[in-house]
Amino acid sequence: VINMKSYGFYWRLLTIVSCCLYPLLCLAINGYEVSLSKYFDTSTQPIYLLCNIATVYYFLQLKEWSIPGVLLLFVTVFSVSEYPITHNAFAVLFFVTMLIALLQSKRFKYIRYIFMLGLLSCLYSLLIGEIICIFAVSFHHYLFMLKFKTIKEYNERNNSK
C-alpha cells in the first residue's frame, strides 16, 4: 500500500530509475549520438524532455542541488541544435555544479570519483561520459534516499513506543 508519506519516496525512486534508463533507451531506439542532448532532435525527444523535467523538479527540492536543477532546465530549454553555444555553456556549468555538490556531500564520497571518471570519459566519448556521470549522480541520490528513508523509519518506529 502506497500512502501519501511514501508517495514522495516512490516519485524520487521513479525519477532516479528513469534517469538511468533513458540514456540507454535513447541509445537502443535511435542509435549512437554524440551526446545526450542530440537525442532532442530524434524520436526519443519526449523521453529526453520528461526525464530532464523530472530531474529538474527533483533537484529543485534539494538545497544543494537547486543550482544544477536550474542549469539543467536551461540545458533542456536551449537545444543544442538551435543554440549550441548557450546550450553547451549551460551544460558545462551543469556538470561542474553537480561535481561541486558531490564534493560538498559528506556521504558516499567514492561516488565523486566515479563522476570524475565520467568527466574524463567525455574526452573519449561525450555520450559515454555523460552516461557515467548520470549513473554516478543517480546512484548517489538513490543511496542518500535509502539512508534517509531507513533513518526516518527507524525514528518513527522508536518514537511510537
Side-chain angles (χ1 to χ4, degrees), residues 89-110:
F90 283 129
V92 167
L93 289 172
F94 170 63
F95 281 94
V96 167
T97 57
M98 284 197 301
L99 176 61
I100 291 168
L102 287 172
L103 290 171
Q104 290 175 342
S105 177
K106 293 175 177 60
R107 301 194 191 282
F108 318 116
K109 293 181 179 187
Y110 61 93

PDB file of all heavy atoms in Angstrom, residues 89-110:
ATOM      1  N   ALA A  89      27.364  25.982 -22.930  1.00  0.00           N
ATOM      2  CA  ALA A  89      27.810  26.728 -21.741  1.00  0.00           C
ATOM      3  C   ALA A  89      27.009  26.269 -20.518  1.00  0.00           C
ATOM      4  O   ALA A  89      27.586  25.983 -19.458  1.00  0.00           O
ATOM      5  CB  ALA A  89      27.649  28.228 -21.957  1.00  0.00           C
ATOM      6  N   PHE A  90      25.699  26.174 -20.665  1.00  0.00           N
ATOM      7  CA  PHE A  90      24.868  25.702 -19.550  1.00  0.00           C
ATOM      8  C   PHE A  90      25.177  24.246 -19.201  1.00  0.00           C
ATOM      9  O   PHE A  90      25.177  23.869 -18.029  1.00  0.00           O
ATOM     10  CB  PHE A  90      23.380  25.871 -19.856  1.00  0.00           C
ATOM     11  CG  PHE A  90      22.888  27.294 -19.708  1.00  0.00           C
ATOM     12  CD1 PHE A  90      22.164  27.896 -20.727  1.00  0.00           C
ATOM     13  CD2 PHE A  90      23.127  28.029 -18.556  1.00  0.00           C
ATOM     14  CE1 PHE A  90      21.706  29.199 -20.599  1.00  0.00           C
ATOM     15  CE2 PHE A  90      22.679  29.331 -18.417  1.00  0.00           C
ATOM     16  CZ  PHE A  90      21.968  29.925 -19.449  1.00  0.00           C
ATOM     17  N   ALA A  91      25.450  23.430 -20.218  1.00  0.00           N
ATOM     18  CA  ALA A  91      25.761  22.011 -19.971  1.00  0.00           C
ATOM     19  C   ALA A  91      27.055  21.872 -19.160  1.00  0.00           C
ATOM     20  O   ALA A  91      27.113  21.088 -18.207  1.00  0.00           O
ATOM     21  CB  ALA A  91      25.862  21.251 -21.291  1.00  0.00           C
ATOM     22  N   VAL A  92      28.070  22.631 -19.532  1.00  0.00           N
ATOM     23  CA  VAL A  92      29.337  22.579 -18.786  1.00  0.00           C
ATOM     24  C   VAL A  92      29.107  23.027 -17.344  1.00  0.00           C
ATOM     25  O   VAL A  92      29.558  22.375 -16.402  1.00  0.00           O
ATOM     26  CB  VAL A  92      30.422  23.440 -19.488  1.00  0.00           C
ATOM     27  CG1 VAL A  92      31.631  23.649 -18.581  1.00  0.00           C
ATOM     28  CG2 VAL A  92      30.848  22.795 -20.802  1.00  0.00           C
ATOM     29  N   LEU A  93      28.390  24.134 -17.173  1.00  0.00           N
ATOM     30  CA  LEU A  93      28.095  24.619 -15.815  1.00  0.00           C
ATOM     31  C   LEU A  93      27.272  23.601 -15.030  1.00  0.00           C
ATOM     32  O   LEU A  93      27.488  23.417 -13.827  1.00  0.00           O
ATOM     33  CB  LEU A  93      27.355  25.962 -15.871  1.00  0.00           C
ATOM     34  CG  LEU A  93      28.177  27.162 -16.327  1.00  0.00           C
ATOM     35  CD1 LEU A  93      27.278  28.378 -16.532  1.00  0.00           C
ATOM     36  CD2 LEU A  93      29.288  27.467 -15.325  1.00  0.00           C
ATOM     37  N   PHE A  94      26.348  22.924 -15.694  1.00  0.00           N
ATOM     38  CA  PHE A  94      25.537  21.894 -15.060  1.00  0.00           C
ATOM     39  C   PHE A  94      26.419  20.784 -14.501  1.00  0.00           C
ATOM     40  O   PHE A  94      26.303  20.414 -13.328  1.00  0.00           O
ATOM     41  CB  PHE A  94      24.525  21.342 -16.077  1.00  0.00           C
ATOM     42  CG  PHE A  94      23.793  20.109 -15.629  1.00  0.00           C
ATOM     43  CD1 PHE A  94      22.952  20.138 -14.525  1.00  0.00           C
ATOM     44  CD2 PHE A  94      23.933  18.922 -16.318  1.00  0.00           C
ATOM     45  CE1 PHE A  94      22.260  18.997 -14.122  1.00  0.00           C
ATOM     46  CE2 PHE A  94      23.250  17.778 -15.931  1.00  0.00           C
ATOM     47  CZ  PHE A  94      22.410  17.816 -14.826  1.00  0.00           C
ATOM     48  N   PHE A  95      27.346  20.282 -15.302  1.00  0.00           N
ATOM     49  CA  PHE A  95      28.210  19.198 -14.842  1.00  0.00           C
ATOM     50  C   PHE A  95      29.186  19.677 -13.765  1.00  0.00           C
ATOM     51  O   PHE A  95      29.467  18.953 -12.814  1.00  0.00           O
ATOM     52  CB  PHE A  95      28.931  18.534 -16.014  1.00  0.00           C
ATOM     53  CG  PHE A  95      28.047  17.567 -16.753  1.00  0.00           C
ATOM     54  CD1 PHE A  95      27.337  17.964 -17.869  1.00  0.00           C
ATOM     55  CD2 PHE A  95      27.900  16.261 -16.308  1.00  0.00           C
ATOM     56  CE1 PHE A  95      26.493  17.084 -18.539  1.00  0.00           C
ATOM     57  CE2 PHE A  95      27.065  15.369 -16.958  1.00  0.00           C
ATOM     58  CZ  PHE A  95      26.358  15.783 -18.082  1.00  0.00           C
ATOM     59  N   VAL A  96      29.683  20.901 -13.896  1.00  0.00           N
ATOM     60  CA  VAL A  96      30.590  21.451 -12.879  1.00  0.00           C
ATOM     61  C   VAL A  96      29.860  21.605 -11.547  1.00  0.00           C
ATOM     62  O   VAL A  96      30.392  21.238 -10.492  1.00  0.00           O
ATOM     63  CB  VAL A  96      31.194  22.799 -13.348  1.00  0.00           C
ATOM     64  CG1 VAL A  96      31.875  23.540 -12.199  1.00  0.00           C
ATOM     65  CG2 VAL A  96      32.172  22.577 -14.493  1.00  0.00           C
ATOM     66  N   THR A  97      28.627  22.114 -11.584  1.00  0.00           N
ATOM     67  CA  THR A  97      27.902  22.308 -10.323  1.00  0.00           C
ATOM     68  C   THR A  97      27.477  20.973  -9.698  1.00  0.00           C
ATOM     69  O   THR A  97      27.379  20.876  -8.471  1.00  0.00           O
ATOM     70  CB  THR A  97      26.677  23.232 -10.489  1.00  0.00           C
ATOM     71  OG1 THR A  97      25.800  22.700 -11.489  1.00  0.00           O
ATOM     72  CG2 THR A  97      27.111  24.644 -10.856  1.00  0.00           C
ATOM     73  N   MET A  98      27.251  19.962 -10.524  1.00  0.00           N
ATOM     74  CA  MET A  98      26.980  18.633  -9.949  1.00  0.00           C
ATOM     75  C   MET A  98      28.229  18.101  -9.257  1.00  0.00           C
ATOM     76  O   MET A  98      28.135  17.514  -8.175  1.00  0.00           O
ATOM     77  CB  MET A  98      26.503  17.652 -11.029  1.00  0.00           C
ATOM     78  CG  MET A  98      25.074  17.863 -11.446  1.00  0.00           C
ATOM     79  SD  MET A  98      24.362  16.453 -12.320  1.00  0.00           S
ATOM     80  CE  MET A  98      25.449  16.274 -13.712  1.00  0.00           C
ATOM     81  N   LEU A  99      29.392  18.309  -9.871  1.00  0.00           N
ATOM     82  CA  LEU A  99      30.642  17.880  -9.231  1.00  0.00           C
ATOM     83  C   LEU A  99      30.830  18.614  -7.907  1.00  0.00           C
ATOM     84  O   LEU A  99      31.188  17.996  -6.897  1.00  0.00           O
ATOM     85  CB  LEU A  99      31.842  18.114 -10.154  1.00  0.00           C
ATOM     86  CG  LEU A  99      33.208  17.794  -9.538  1.00  0.00           C
ATOM     87  CD1 LEU A  99      33.297  16.322  -9.128  1.00  0.00           C
ATOM     88  CD2 LEU A  99      34.326  18.157 -10.508  1.00  0.00           C
ATOM     89  N   ILE A 100      30.561  19.908  -7.895  1.00  0.00           N
ATOM     90  CA  ILE A 100      30.687  20.688  -6.660  1.00  0.00           C
ATOM     91  C   ILE A 100      29.747  20.128  -5.588  1.00  0.00           C
ATOM     92  O   ILE A 100      30.145  19.960  -4.429  1.00  0.00           O
ATOM     93  CB  ILE A 100      30.422  22.190  -6.923  1.00  0.00           C
ATOM     94  CG1 ILE A 100      31.561  22.782  -7.755  1.00  0.00           C
ATOM     95  CG2 ILE A 100      30.241  22.961  -5.609  1.00  0.00           C
ATOM     96  CD1 ILE A 100      31.281  24.169  -8.312  1.00  0.00           C
ATOM     97  N   ALA A 101      28.510  19.818  -5.962  1.00  0.00           N
ATOM     98  CA  ALA A 101      27.553  19.257  -4.995  1.00  0.00           C
ATOM     99  C   ALA A 101      28.047  17.917  -4.458  1.00  0.00           C
ATOM    100  O   ALA A 101      27.931  17.645  -3.256  1.00  0.00           O
ATOM    101  CB  ALA A 101      26.174  19.099  -5.644  1.00  0.00           C
ATOM    102  N   LEU A 102      28.626  17.098  -5.321  1.00  0.00           N
ATOM    103  CA  LEU A 102      29.168  15.814  -4.862  1.00  0.00           C
ATOM    104  C   LEU A 102      30.374  16.019  -3.953  1.00  0.00           C
ATOM    105  O   LEU A 102      30.543  15.299  -2.969  1.00  0.00           O
ATOM    106  CB  LEU A 102      29.558  14.931  -6.055  1.00  0.00           C
ATOM    107  CG  LEU A 102      28.405  14.323  -6.842  1.00  0.00           C
ATOM    108  CD1 LEU A 102      28.932  13.641  -8.103  1.00  0.00           C
ATOM    109  CD2 LEU A 102      27.613  13.346  -5.994  1.00  0.00           C
ATOM    110  N   LEU A 103      31.228  16.991  -4.293  1.00  0.00           N
ATOM    111  CA  LEU A 103      32.402  17.268  -3.465  1.00  0.00           C
ATOM    112  C   LEU A 103      32.001  17.811  -2.089  1.00  0.00           C
ATOM    113  O   LEU A 103      32.693  17.570  -1.103  1.00  0.00           O
ATOM    114  CB  LEU A 103      33.332  18.256  -4.170  1.00  0.00           C
ATOM    115  CG  LEU A 103      34.058  17.724  -5.405  1.00  0.00           C
ATOM    116  CD1 LEU A 103      34.784  18.852  -6.137  1.00  0.00           C
ATOM    117  CD2 LEU A 103      35.018  16.609  -5.036  1.00  0.00           C
ATOM    118  N   GLN A 104      30.897  18.521  -2.016  1.00  0.00           N
ATOM    119  CA  GLN A 104      30.433  19.081  -0.745  1.00  0.00           C
ATOM    120  C   GLN A 104      29.682  18.062   0.103  1.00  0.00           C
ATOM    121  O   GLN A 104      29.524  18.260   1.306  1.00  0.00           O
ATOM    122  CB  GLN A 104      29.550  20.301  -0.997  1.00  0.00           C
ATOM    123  CG  GLN A 104      30.325  21.482  -1.527  1.00  0.00           C
ATOM    124  CD  GLN A 104      29.431  22.658  -1.889  1.00  0.00           C
ATOM    125  OE1 GLN A 104      28.230  22.511  -2.067  1.00  0.00           O
ATOM    126  NE2 GLN A 104      30.030  23.829  -2.002  1.00  0.00           N
ATOM    127  N   SER A 105      29.240  16.990  -0.525  1.00  0.00           N
ATOM    128  CA  SER A 105      28.488  15.975   0.199  1.00  0.00           C
ATOM    129  C   SER A 105      29.408  15.215   1.149  1.00  0.00           C
ATOM    130  O   SER A 105      30.526  14.848   0.800  1.00  0.00           O
ATOM    131  CB  SER A 105      27.845  14.996  -0.781  1.00  0.00           C
ATOM    132  OG  SER A 105      27.175  13.980  -0.079  1.00  0.00           O
ATOM    133  N   LYS A 106      28.911  14.959   2.336  1.00  0.00           N
ATOM    134  CA  LYS A 106      29.692  14.227   3.333  1.00  0.00           C
ATOM    135  C   LYS A 106      29.451  12.723   3.240  1.00  0.00           C
ATOM    136  O   LYS A 106      30.112  11.950   3.894  1.00  0.00           O
ATOM    137  CB  LYS A 106      29.334  14.734   4.733  1.00  0.00           C
ATOM    138  CG  LYS A 106      29.782  16.157   4.974  1.00  0.00           C
ATOM    139  CD  LYS A 106      29.285  16.653   6.322  1.00  0.00           C
ATOM    140  CE  LYS A 106      29.758  18.028   6.656  1.00  0.00           C
ATOM    141  NZ  LYS A 106      29.370  19.069   5.756  1.00  0.00           N
ATOM    142  N   ARG A 107      28.508  12.324   2.425  1.00  0.00           N
ATOM    143  CA  ARG A 107      28.156  10.910   2.308  1.00  0.00           C
ATOM    144  C   ARG A 107      28.556  10.364   0.943  1.00  0.00           C
ATOM    145  O   ARG A 107      28.556  11.084  -0.043  1.00  0.00           O
ATOM    146  CB  ARG A 107      26.650  10.719   2.503  1.00  0.00           C
ATOM    147  CG  ARG A 107      26.173  11.212   3.834  1.00  0.00           C
ATOM    148  CD  ARG A 107      24.776  10.712   4.115  1.00  0.00           C
ATOM    149  NE  ARG A 107      24.154  11.343   5.247  1.00  0.00           N
ATOM    150  CZ  ARG A 107      24.395  11.054   6.507  1.00  0.00           C
ATOM    151  NH1 ARG A 107      25.271  10.139   6.813  1.00  0.00           N
ATOM    152  NH2 ARG A 107      23.782  11.677   7.478  1.00  0.00           N
ATOM    153  N   PHE A 108      28.882   9.083   0.936  1.00  0.00           N
ATOM    154  CA  PHE A 108      29.170   8.346  -0.299  1.00  0.00           C
ATOM    155  C   PHE A 108      30.233   9.063  -1.149  1.00  0.00           C
ATOM    156  O   PHE A 108      30.061   9.282  -2.341  1.00  0.00           O
ATOM    157  CB  PHE A 108      27.888   8.133  -1.111  1.00  0.00           C
ATOM    158  CG  PHE A 108      26.712   7.742  -0.269  1.00  0.00           C
ATOM    159  CD1 PHE A 108      25.599   8.566  -0.159  1.00  0.00           C
ATOM    160  CD2 PHE A 108      26.724   6.551   0.450  1.00  0.00           C
ATOM    161  CE1 PHE A 108      24.519   8.211   0.636  1.00  0.00           C
ATOM    162  CE2 PHE A 108      25.638   6.184   1.242  1.00  0.00           C
ATOM    163  CZ  PHE A 108      24.538   7.020   1.333  1.00  0.00           C
ATOM    164  N   LYS A 109      31.338   9.405  -0.510  1.00  0.00           N
ATOM    165  CA  LYS A 109      32.386  10.187  -1.160  1.00  0.00           C
ATOM    166  C   LYS A 109      32.988   9.494  -2.377  1.00  0.00           C
ATOM    167  O   LYS A 109      33.458  10.152  -3.293  1.00  0.00           O
ATOM    168  CB  LYS A 109      33.480  10.543  -0.143  1.00  0.00           C
ATOM    169  CG  LYS A 109      32.995  11.498   0.919  1.00  0.00           C
ATOM    170  CD  LYS A 109      34.099  11.857   1.886  1.00  0.00           C
ATOM    171  CE  LYS A 109      33.577  12.836   2.928  1.00  0.00           C
ATOM    172  NZ  LYS A 109      34.623  13.341   3.791  1.00  0.00           N
ATOM    173  N   TYR A 110      32.969   8.162  -2.390  1.00  0.00           N
ATOM    174  CA  TYR A 110      33.553   7.435  -3.520  1.00  0.00           C
ATOM    175  C   TYR A 110      32.821   7.709  -4.832  1.00  0.00           C
ATOM    176  O   TYR A 110      33.399   7.581  -5.909  1.00  0.00           O
ATOM    177  CB  TYR A 110      33.576   5.927  -3.240  1.00  0.00           C
ATOM    178  CG  TYR A 110      32.213   5.312  -3.031  1.00  0.00           C
ATOM    179  CD1 TYR A 110      31.515   4.756  -4.088  1.00  0.00           C
ATOM    180  CD2 TYR A 110      31.631   5.301  -1.767  1.00  0.00           C
ATOM    181  CE1 TYR A 110      30.261   4.208  -3.901  1.00  0.00           C
ATOM    182  CE2 TYR A 110      30.392   4.745  -1.570  1.00  0.00           C
ATOM    183  CZ  TYR A 110      29.699   4.199  -2.636  1.00  0.00           C
ATOM    184  OH  TYR A 110      28.459   3.659  -2.441  1.00  0.00           O
TER     185      TYR A 110
END
